[in-house]
Amino acid sequence: MHHRHTIKALLALAVFMLLTLAAYWPGLQGGFLFDDFANLPALGATGPIYTWPNFWRYITAGTADPTGRPLTLLTFLLDARNWPADPFPFKRTSLILHLLNGALLYALLSRLGRLLAFEYRNYRIAALLGAALWLLHPLFVSTTLYIVQREAMLPATCVLIGLLIWLRGRDQLCRGNIRSGLIWSVIGLGGFTLLGILAKANGALLPFYALLIEVIVLKPRHALPSGQAILAHRGVMWILGVVPAAAILAYLTRIAVLGMLHGDNMGIRPWSTAQRLLTEPRILLDYLSLLWVPRAFSSGLFNDQYVASTSLLHPATTLPAIIAILVMIGVAWRLRKHYPAWSLAILFYFAGQLLESTSIGLELYFEHRNYVPALLMFWPLGLWLADTRTLSLLKRGLMIVLPLGLALMTHASTEVWGNEHAQALVWADVNPNSARAQTNAAQAQMQAGRPHDAARRLEKLLTTQPDQVQLAFNLIAAHCMTGRITPDDIAAAGTAMHGSANTGSLFANWFDRILPVAVAGDCPGLTPAVLLDLINDGLQNPKLAGAGRQQDFLYMRGRIALARHQPDVALANYLRALDLQIRPGFALEAAARLGAAGYPTQGIQLLDHYQQEKDQVIPPDFGMPTVHEWVLTRQNYWPHELEHLRATLLEQEKEHPAPDDQPPVDTHAPSGQNTSPSNQENRS
């Protein structure tokens, strides 16, 4: 009988997975988005990854988290070994991973249902429904089809496998098999926590999930035999469960306390630590609303318009949201004995939000933060629907209607994800006050040959958000397409550069595209002098005073000098930029650009300066950057690249010698140029 029910459940799971595949299929035709372009080009940064040296340079190149997320980087090699690449294989692999996570979730929910002593058929159906509703939920489209968020999906895989293996180990201990029980427990709780961390830091929350299952499900119903089994289990839970969980809580508390005591505004963030802690309960309620009242079109990747709470009473929903979250947690804990499934699902969810929705200075809101926390969210509903004691016609209908309804909403969402132009316009309609959404829509309209529409869209929001550089720069691009830019456009861009808290990678990317246009005179009113003024506006902005930001602005000034055929001015800017942060990569790129522009002598002088100052190279950050630097040193990578470039420049100099009366290079700032610091930093 049990075997027959298992086969039926697995067949039903296969049907739901095929339904998920059909719902997601239109979205596989979409392209790369936003942070994909900040992360995936590492696939070709030091050459195609077809050799072991290139592999080790790539796999250690991550900068997110201290670990660099190498497990996530490793999975991208399934889809491409070089850059640029086709987005389809990346999205296909992510969808396969989502389906795998659904199958693993079914296995975990089945195991938990059996541990709670529900009747066999009931908990299989409940697990099937809980997994199906999670698989088909439209909220997770923005995780599954956003390629870079594979780093949010892999921790789910590690959490699910880790919990299943740990539960097997505990079962072995209950049976008195100490050695095998310890091995399985350590692999599940220790090994897969480590793997989860190597995918993304929130994989470190696996011990929290295991402790919740232990306290709510296992300890009251499945006591261990006395003696060695208890000692072994307690040792595992303390060393691999309690201690890591306590360390994470202490770390988060320390960040919160230090941030509030010192008034930390988190650098580029427009809100403080205290304001973030006040805001996140409101956001968590928004997440829960999206989970329980699903919709086909949510805010997607654009949440920059979300207003932070500045006090308990502003906005008015702040205090009620905090109280609601505390009440939910308190009630869930209080009812853990009588309603263990509901209690576990709620506490599991809030435990899963600890790292990304508390004191760490991340952006306020992202939908992908629900992918792991919501794993158990729909299981209690599945248990209620599968309860044969009250199995009404309504319940039977809901078992069919709910998955199909979610599938239709997900399909509608993925159709938009598969059409980049439609996606941009939909997101702009859903997020009318988001500068990112409106900029993205304007770019789509410009690509479609509708610059007038793009300009109207940007002008409307720029009047209320004058410090948004992305609006001002793209307005210039739109007006270039319509004929010419106006003094008002340039003034608006200057105002944005003066007031922006962070230009991110936006200004550098826009500069790369627009400099050739300005040099060629293809946009009346836009000249290299205008671009230089915008850079100097940024240099005068005290919010953009970091050394890395200064370096990037000075590098751009050097490029303008090259466009004006002023190699000595370019070199002076490059030398000042290099002195701010001695980095071999910067020296290599700047010298190569001088050589490519026809000035090998200046390129050699820059390399000579680097050789004199290389002992001042800034040390790498703790974690994977240190490992990456060790790999590069072992491979003699930078010396080899620099010597190769030097040889190329020397050969070029022989073929095109510099004039004998060429003046010496002034390594100080050129006369009349602003010497204030500048900025360039990626948006997280």
Side-chain angles (χ1 to χ4, degrees):
M1 178 69 72
H2 288 179
H3 179 71
R4 188 176 68 208
H5 288 317
T6 301
I7 295 298
K8 288 182 178 180
L10 292 176
L11 288 174
L13 178 63
V15 170
F16 282 125
M17 293 178 75
L18 288 173
L19 184 61
T20 304
L21 179 64
Y24 270 91
W25 192 259
L28 300 185
Q29 309 307 316
F32 296 109
L33 294 165
F34 313 110
D35 285 348
D36 289 342
F37 294 105
N39 292 272
L40 296 177
L43 287 162
T46 62
I49 306 171
Y50 294 111
T51 65
W52 282 113
N54 282 8
F55 170 81
W56 290 116
R57 290 198 297 271
Y58 165 72
I59 207 68
T60 60
T63 56
D65 300 340
T67 67
R69 304 177 184 175
L71 184 58
T72 301
L73 296 180
L74 183 64
T75 66
F76 290 145
L77 293 178
L78 297 171
D79 310 310
R81 302 290 181 87
N82 200 0
W83 186 264
D86 179 7
F88 180 84
F90 291 90
K91 293 179 182 286
R92 178 187 59 201
T93 300
S94 293
L95 178 54
I96 292 171
L97 183 61
H98 184 56
L99 295 172
L100 172 63
N101 286 339
L104 291 169
L105 178 58
Y106 167 74
L108 178 63
L109 296 181
S110 295
R111 186 65 181 270
L112 292 175
R114 187 172 65 180
L115 290 168
L116 285 174
F118 288 105
E119 193 268 332
Y120 191 90
R121 184 175 175 224
N122 287 17
Y123 76 71
R124 289 287 186 186
I125 295 175
L128 179 65
L129 290 170
L133 296 177
W134 180 87
L135 262 177
L136 291 163
H137 203 289
L139 184 62
F140 304 130
V141 170
S142 60
T143 305
T144 307
L145 294 182
Y146 188 15
I147 294 167
V148 75
Q149 288 312 324
R150 193 176 300 173
E151 62 194 17
M153 302 174 71
L154 284 166
T157 311
C158 294
V159 163
L160 291 165
I161 296 175
L163 289 175
L164 286 166
I165 292 176
W166 167 71
L167 286 171
R168 177 178 175 83
R170 194 185 188 281
D171 182 62
Q172 289 295 311
L173 290 174
C174 285
R175 297 171 185 269
N177 300 324
I178 307 300
R179 184 172 179 273
S180 63
L182 272 175
I183 292 173
W184 285 108
S185 296
V186 170
I187 291 174
L189 202 51
F192 277 87
T193 296
L194 177 60
L195 284 175
I197 292 172
L198 293 178
K200 192 178 181 180
N202 59 358
L205 296 174
L206 174 54
F208 280 93
Y209 305 140
L211 288 171
L212 287 172
I213 293 172
E214 174 70 24
V215 171
I216 295 173
V217 177
L218 298 174
K219 190 174 179 180
R221 297 168 182 82
H222 301 275
L224 288 151
S226 58
Q228 289 185 324
I230 290 180
L231 292 176
H233 179 66
R234 285 179 179 173
V236 169
M237 296 307 295
W238 272 94
I239 295 172
L240 300 177
V242 175
V243 171
I248 291 172
L249 290 175
Y251 172 72
L252 295 172
T253 302
R254 180 177 181 274
I255 292 176
V257 171
L258 291 178
M260 289 186 286
L261 287 178
H262 298 292
D264 174 26
N265 66 357
M266 297 186 177
I268 63 173
R269 307 303 185 193
W271 28 260
S272 67
T273 304
Q275 290 170 344
R276 189 179 202 278
L277 290 170
L278 289 172
T279 306
E280 287 302 323
R282 293 168 44 220
I283 292 174
L284 290 175
L285 290 183
D286 284 348
Y287 291 160
L288 290 170
S289 172
L290 288 170
L291 285 165
W292 285 104
V293 188
R295 63 207 72 166
F297 306 115
S298 59
S299 59
L301 307 187
F302 298 115
N303 301 283
D304 51 303
Q305 77 279 14
Y306 202 94
V307 178
S309 296
T310 55
S311 71
L312 287 172
L313 301 178
H314 189 273
T317 53
T318 302
L319 182 59
I322 294 172
I323 294 172
I325 297 297
L326 293 175
V327 167
M328 278 191 279
I329 293 173
V331 170
W333 179 254
R334 185 67 181 267
L335 298 179
R336 67 189 184 279
K337 294 182 180 179
H338 301 292
Y339 300 96
W342 284 102
S343 173
L344 180 60
I346 293 170
L347 295 176
F348 191 102
Y349 178 80
F350 288 116
Q353 296 286 359
L354 277 172
L355 283 180
E356 295 181 299
S357 300
T358 54
S359 56
I360 297 177
L362 307 171
E363 293 201 29
L364 292 175
Y365 191 120
F366 275 119
E367 293 176 357
H368 65 254
R369 293 175 184 167
N370 293 278
Y371 191 81
V372 178
L375 284 170
L376 272 60
M377 182 63 65
F378 309 109
W379 179 47
L381 175 61
L383 288 168
W384 177 74
L385 290 173
D387 187 356
T388 55
R389 294 170 299 180
T390 58
L391 190 58
S392 63
L393 184 62
L394 174 63
K395 284 187 177 182
R396 293 182 185 275
L398 288 175
M399 288 183 189
I400 298 173
V401 170
L402 289 178
L404 288 178
L406 292 178
L408 289 173
M409 283 187 280
T410 295
H411 188 270
S413 179
T414 62
E415 282 189 319
V416 170
W417 275 77
N419 184 327
E420 294 176 64
H421 182 80
Q423 182 184 52
L425 297 182
V426 167
W427 280 347
D429 288 342
V430 175
N431 304 285
N433 296 318
S434 166
R436 293 176 188 168
Q438 299 308 319
T439 299
N440 184 53
Q443 290 172 345
Q445 289 174 319
M446 284 186 274
Q447 291 171 3
R450 295 163 52 198
H452 291 285
D453 292 341
R456 283 194 293 270
R457 178 184 296 277
L458 295 166
E459 288 167 344
K460 180 180 179 181
L461 196 58
L462 189 59
T463 58
T464 59
Q465 300 185 30
D467 60 343
Q468 285 290 340
V469 290
Q470 55 194 319
L471 298 174
F473 295 157
N474 280 280
L475 181 58
I476 288 176
H479 281 164
C480 280
M481 292 180 67
T482 61
R484 69 176 291 117
I485 62 172
T486 67
D488 288 342
D489 296 333
I490 297 171
T495 298
M497 287 295 288
H498 271 295
S500 175
N502 176 38
T503 60
S505 60
L506 172 72
F507 184 72
N509 293 336
W510 178 79
F511 180 86
D512 282 338
R513 295 192 302 269
I514 210 70
L515 179 60
V517 175
V519 170
D522 292 337
C523 178
L526 183 66
T527 65
V530 169
L531 297 181
L532 185 60
D533 287 340
L534 290 176
I535 292 173
N536 290 335
D537 286 331
L539 291 168
Q540 295 169 5
N541 184 347
K543 300 175 185 177
L544 308 178
R549 301 168 182 182
Q550 295 179 44
Q551 187 174 71
D552 287 332
F553 275 132
L554 289 169
Y555 176 73
M556 285 184 257
R557 288 210 308 197
R559 289 188 58 188
I560 291 176
L562 286 179
R564 290 173 155 183
H565 306 291
Q566 299 171 334
D568 294 335
V569 175
L571 177 59
N573 278 288
Y574 289 156
L575 290 174
R576 286 190 59 224
L578 180 60
D579 286 341
L580 290 171
Q581 288 186 336
I582 305 296
R583 295 188 292 114
F586 180 87
L588 189 75
E589 183 173 352
R593 191 167 287 279
L594 284 163
Y599 306 111
T601 301
Q602 284 79 2
I604 293 169
Q605 288 175 317
L606 191 145
L607 293 180
D608 289 340
H609 183 77
Y610 169 76
Q611 285 298 120
Q612 296 171 5
E613 303 293 335
K614 66 180 182 180
D615 291 340
Q616 304 299 319
V617 169
I618 56 174
D621 293 334
F622 171 77
M624 189 58 75
T626 300
V627 177
H628 183 64
E629 186 63 30
W630 178 83
V631 168
L632 295 178
T633 302
R634 289 273 297 180
Q635 295 181 2
N636 201 37
Y637 179 77
W638 289 121
H640 176 269
E641 293 295 313
L642 290 165
E643 284 304 312
H644 177 73
L645 177 59
R646 180 183 292 275
T648 302
L649 293 174
L650 286 169
E651 185 65 28
Q652 185 180 355
E653 189 178 40
K654 290 179 182 178
E655 295 176 0
H656 305 283
D660 293 336
D661 60 348
Q662 183 173 351
V665 173
D666 177 9
T667 60
H668 299 285
S671 175
Q673 290 199 1
N674 190 293
T675 57
S676 302
S678 66
N679 167 54
Q680 184 57 51
E681 182 171 300
N682 285 333
R683 175 179 62 83
S684 67

